[in-house]
Amino acid sequence: MSELFSTPEWLDGNEHIIEPIFCEWFLDYCPMRCIHDHFYTVDGLVADESSIMRDIYCAIEEYVDTGIAKKVKQLYEALKITAYSGPPPLQTDRIHVANGTYHMDGTFTEVKEFCMNRLTVNFNPKAPQPTRWLQFLSELLYKEDIPTMQEYLGYCLLPTTKGQKMLMLIGKGGEGKSRIGLVMNAIFGTSMNTTSIQKVETNRFARADLESKLLMVDDDMDMNALPKTNHIKSIVTSECKMDVERKGVQSQQVQIYARFLCFGNGALTSLHDHTDGFFRRQILLTSKDRPADRTDDPFLAEKLVAEKEGIFLWMLAGLNRLIANNYQFTISERAIDNLNTIANNSRNYLDFMASEGYIELQEGNKASTKELYETYRVWCADNAEKTFASGEFSTFLRENQERYHLKYLKNNLYIKKRRCRGYEGVRVLLDQSEFLPGK
């Protein structure tokens, strides 16, 4: 940048740098905006902000004899104030690619608009079909799940959460799942973040790192159950700003639209949240087993990245199909069964309610919530199942009254002349002598 800094109009006669003039001059040559304390150019986020300090240093080194490091930091902070801007409005009718702007009506222009998430892939309508990528997917995924992956990766190209899903790909290990993350990094660049979904949920500063990101990849999902899920659920479905915190900075309202793509050896589970709201936000795909005689290609990632222009067109086709289907993903029966299995394992109440010999769903009968829970405990003991807390069990019953044709009776049920809470439409088949001691 030395040729850019040849006219020091920001220098007064006493070799004093006039900060406002310097900042305006600097931004004329290097147009940037500072949004929520980060610099953005027409190409998106400036990932290495120390490069800006380096450019400031190059500009002033001939004119500052002492304390140059302090002066550089001072000018850097002044530059943030001068370049301050609010975030631009979200644009879901176009995709900012490396060589211009692709509009969702199919038109393309080489004009680059200012944006916060420019991709690092060119739009090339003549790019060859990504044959190695398609072969890789056919070896990794079941045929009926490939359209789901195509639509989801395409979904991540636009800053929107209308699909209201996160995608989990699980396998036994060694199948090559993480290669997808490497390819996406080559396409999304600084518009992608690699971190842990556990960290996003539990670390109050981690959510700020998702600002302006189109995609978040967790390439080795922690199998420990999430202690809570409210932040993840909010991000997956949020269509308004949410509060984020940064260290040493006042919390801010930020629009987060990052989509979650997670790879692991097991499904995402929660310690306490076993509701439909948690599971309906997930798409759960399973990978094929790794063939025992397969020889891994150490250069596979490079070969796949070499096809990124064709992969982008493939993703774009998935996005167009998703939009045409009103943001409803193509989900196979296999994927539906995957999620139902995980949900049922996490909510064994469903199996209990379908069991025989413990309760009977029948109009006109009544049972207290305590009787139902004690019967559930016996069922868990008989079937070597984990027993969930009474509060969770009670919440499940209240939320699923319609499913089982029950009617909640709040302090309107009499057991041994005592008023208590319970349900109409169910009766317990065990007598109290069969209830387990304790709890």
Side-chain angles (χ1 to χ4, degrees):
M1 289 188 57
S2 58
E3 69 278 4
L4 302 181
F5 306 114
S6 57
T7 308
E9 64 260 38
W10 33 264
L11 205 65
D12 68 11
N14 298 318
E15 295 191 353
H16 172 73
I17 296 175
I18 307 171
E19 291 184 7
I21 297 177
F22 175 88
C23 291
E24 293 292 346
W25 168 84
F26 192 94
L27 292 174
D28 281 343
Y29 286 109
C30 305
M32 293 184 293
R33 298 183 193 180
C34 184
I35 302 172
H36 293 156
D37 213 40
H38 291 294
F39 283 106
Y40 294 85
T41 69
V42 71
D43 290 320
L45 176 70
V46 180
D48 182 13
E49 296 189 349
S50 61
S51 64
I52 300 174
M53 290 191 181
R54 174 64 183 173
D55 289 341
I56 295 173
Y57 174 87
C58 291
I60 69 173
E61 63 176 333
E62 296 182 32
Y63 311 102
V64 179
D65 294 328
T66 59
I68 189 168
K70 181 179 179 181
K71 192 62 182 177
V72 166
K73 291 180 181 178
Q74 185 176 333
L75 289 170
Y76 179 77
E77 293 302 321
L79 198 63
K80 284 185 175 181
I81 298 172
T82 307
Y84 170 80
S85 174
L90 296 183
Q91 297 173 305
T92 57
D93 64 340
R94 66 199 66 186
I95 300 171
H96 301 284
V97 290
N99 60 335
T101 307
Y102 175 84
H103 293 266
M104 292 307 296
D105 62 5
T107 60
F108 172 76
T109 174
E110 293 183 355
V111 175
K112 287 187 176 183
E113 305 171 353
F114 177 82
C115 67
M116 296 178 68
N117 38 49
R118 188 172 299 281
L119 305 182
T120 52
V121 62
N122 289 330
F123 172 69
N124 177 9
K126 297 181 179 180
Q129 188 179 45
T131 54
R132 187 64 187 90
W133 168 258
L134 296 177
Q135 179 189 344
F136 163 72
L137 290 182
S138 69
E139 295 168 351
L140 177 68
L141 300 173
Y142 294 97
K143 181 179 179 180
E144 60 269 31
D145 291 332
I146 294 177
T148 312
M149 180 64 73
Q150 183 183 18
E151 291 172 0
Y152 193 84
L153 296 181
Y155 170 52
C156 298
L157 295 173
L158 291 178
T160 179
T161 57
K162 290 189 182 298
Q164 303 199 337
K165 298 287 186 183
M166 52 184 169
L167 191 145
M168 313 289 161
L169 175 58
I170 63 174
K172 297 177 181 177
E175 302 92 350
K177 301 182 295 292
S178 62
R179 304 300 93 182
I180 296 176
L182 295 175
V183 174
M184 291 304 104
N185 186 57
I187 290 174
F188 286 90
T190 58
S191 295
M192 173 181 139
N193 179 274
T194 302
T195 187
S196 161
I197 198 163
Q198 291 267 0
K199 184 178 179 181
V200 171
E201 182 59 58
T202 59
N203 186 315
R204 73 179 196 268
F205 301 120
R207 293 177 288 280
D209 294 335
L210 298 181
E211 184 183 10
S212 81
K213 306 302 181 187
L214 293 167
L215 174 62
M216 191 222 83
V217 171
D218 184 345
D219 62 3
D220 189 12
M221 194 164 52
D222 190 337
M223 292 299 97
N224 290 318
L226 291 167
K228 55 182 182 176
T229 61
N230 55 306
H231 294 300
I232 290 173
K233 291 195 297 187
S234 295
I235 292 171
V236 171
T237 58
S238 175
E239 296 186 66
C240 58
K241 293 182 179 180
M242 57 191 303
D243 197 61
V244 300
E245 294 182 69
R246 295 180 174 86
K247 290 184 180 179
V249 180
Q250 178 66 35
S251 63
Q252 297 171 313
Q253 290 287 305
V254 170
Q255 183 85 52
I256 294 181
Y257 41 79
R259 271 55 52 87
F260 297 130
L261 177 62
C262 305
F263 310 116
N265 297 332
L268 184 68
T269 58
S270 168
L271 281 176
H272 307 293
D273 188 351
H274 311 293
T275 64
D276 288 335
F278 175 58
F279 291 104
R280 68 177 171 81
R281 286 172 167 85
Q282 300 183 44
I283 300 173
L284 183 59
L285 305 184
T286 49
S287 62
K288 294 179 179 179
D289 290 342
R290 180 184 183 275
D293 59 348
R294 189 183 77 185
T295 301
D296 291 333
D297 182 356
F299 301 102
L300 176 60
E302 289 86 346
K303 293 175 181 177
L304 297 177
V305 169
E307 297 183 324
K308 68 177 185 177
E309 291 183 357
I311 295 173
F312 173 74
L313 297 181
W314 176 84
M315 293 165 61
L316 197 57
L319 173 60
N320 284 320
R321 187 169 66 243
L322 180 66
I323 294 174
N325 199 30
N326 200 29
Y327 283 94
Q328 299 298 307
F329 290 94
T330 302
I331 302 180
S332 69
E333 288 298 324
R334 178 189 299 275
I336 293 172
D337 289 343
N338 291 340
L339 197 57
N340 286 339
T341 299
I342 297 300
N344 290 344
N345 289 343
S346 298
R347 301 179 298 182
N348 55 19
Y349 321 122
L350 297 171
D351 291 334
F352 165 69
M353 295 300 289
S355 65
E356 296 182 2
Y358 296 88
I359 60 171
E360 183 177 39
L361 299 172
Q362 190 177 70
E363 186 178 354
N365 289 315
K366 297 178 182 179
S368 71
T369 304
K370 181 180 179 181
E371 288 175 325
L372 290 169
Y373 181 67
E374 292 301 329
T375 306
Y376 162 71
R377 289 182 60 214
V378 173
W379 177 87
C380 288
D382 289 347
N383 292 278
E385 286 277 347
K386 175 183 177 181
T387 304
F388 290 96
S390 58
E392 293 183 47
F393 178 78
S394 180
T395 299
F396 167 80
L397 288 178
R398 285 200 301 272
E399 291 180 348
N400 290 272
Q401 293 178 67
E402 292 186 7
R403 176 187 291 189
Y404 298 108
H405 306 291
L406 304 178
K407 181 180 179 182
Y408 180 53
L409 303 174
K410 184 176 182 180
N411 295 328
N412 196 28
L413 179 65
Y414 288 87
I415 302 292
K416 296 182 179 179
K417 298 183 180 182
R418 295 193 297 268
R419 294 178 63 182
C420 59
R421 299 175 183 179
Y423 291 86
E424 182 179 327
V426 61
R427 74 184 179 99
V428 169
L429 300 180
L430 305 183
D431 58 52
Q432 292 197 14
S433 64
E434 295 185 75
F435 291 166
L436 300 176
K439 289 193 177 182

